[in-house]
Every structure is written in C-alpha cells, then in structure tokens.
Amino acid sequence: MRDIYLRFSNEEQMRQKLINSGFEESEGDLFHAGVCLDIVGVIYSQVNSDSENPEYIADDGWHVNIRIVDSGITLPELIPFVVEPKSPSRVWA
C-alpha cells in the first residue's frame, strides 16, 4: 500500500491527468480499480496568529490524495504532480 499526495494547477487538469492515467469517470466521479481517491481540492493556510480573527489564504493548486492498494499499479503519468507536504491537511486513516 502506498499513499501519494498530488497537486495539480486546477480541477480540470486533475480530471484530465487522472483519466489519462487510467481512472474512469462515471456520473462525475473518478474510479480506478486498486486505487482509493480523496479529492481535497483547495487547501487554505492561516496567515496570522490571531485565534479569534484568523485570516486564511488559498494555497496554490488543486490537491488530491491517492492510496494505491494494488502493488502492481504504478501510475507513472502522475509522477510530475507528486508533492511531499511536511504536514498533510488530510491523511488516510
């Protein structure tokens, strides 16, 4: 099992790259046998330390987490979009 964090420029690029790498689209959702998909979307970071009036800014990109369950799946088309966040916003349980 491998967990991979991906960042695309926007939602459209994400859809195209996932479909190009073998994901199938059905009723707006994306599927790939042997892969779990978590579309995070836009991530926001707090830019001040005021807990009563926090201010947030959108981080660059459209974020997706995937968990590859089938060890035979490699998805080389997605390698250019792999990121390694220091503190992921969402992780697999």
Side-chain angles (χ1 to χ4, degrees), residues 46-56:
Q46 188 171 344
V47 294
N48 65 357
S49 58
D50 185 347
S51 61
E52 292 187 25
N53 296 303
E55 293 181 29
Y56 295 91

Side-chain angles (χ1 to χ4, degrees), residues 5-15 38-45 57-65 80-83 89:
Y5 303 98
L6 303 168
R7 180 177 57 218
F8 300 94
S9 297
N10 53 49
E11 184 177 7
E12 180 60 30
Q13 182 187 44
M14 175 215 53
R15 285 192 156 320
D38 177 27
I39 299 174
V40 178
V42 176
I43 295 175
Y44 293 88
S45 297
I57 187 168
D59 294 344
D60 290 338
W62 188 265
H63 303 267
V64 174
N65 299 340
F81 305 97
V82 172
V83 293
S89 292

Side-chain angles (χ1 to χ4, degrees), residues 69-84:
V69 180
D70 181 341
S71 62
I73 297 174
T74 58
L75 305 173
E77 301 88 353
L78 299 178
I79 291 173
F81 305 97
V82 172
V83 293
E84 296 183 24

Side-chain angles (χ1 to χ4, degrees), residues 1-30:
M1 200 171 342
R2 289 184 301 144
D3 295 341
I4 299 173
Y5 303 98
L6 303 168
R7 180 177 57 218
F8 300 94
S9 297
N10 53 49
E11 184 177 7
E12 180 60 30
Q13 182 187 44
M14 175 215 53
R15 285 192 156 320
Q16 286 302 313
K17 296 301 180 179
L18 290 177
I19 290 169
N20 291 347
S21 67
F23 281 76
E24 295 180 23
E25 187 170 20
S26 175
E27 297 181 19
D29 293 326
L30 296 165

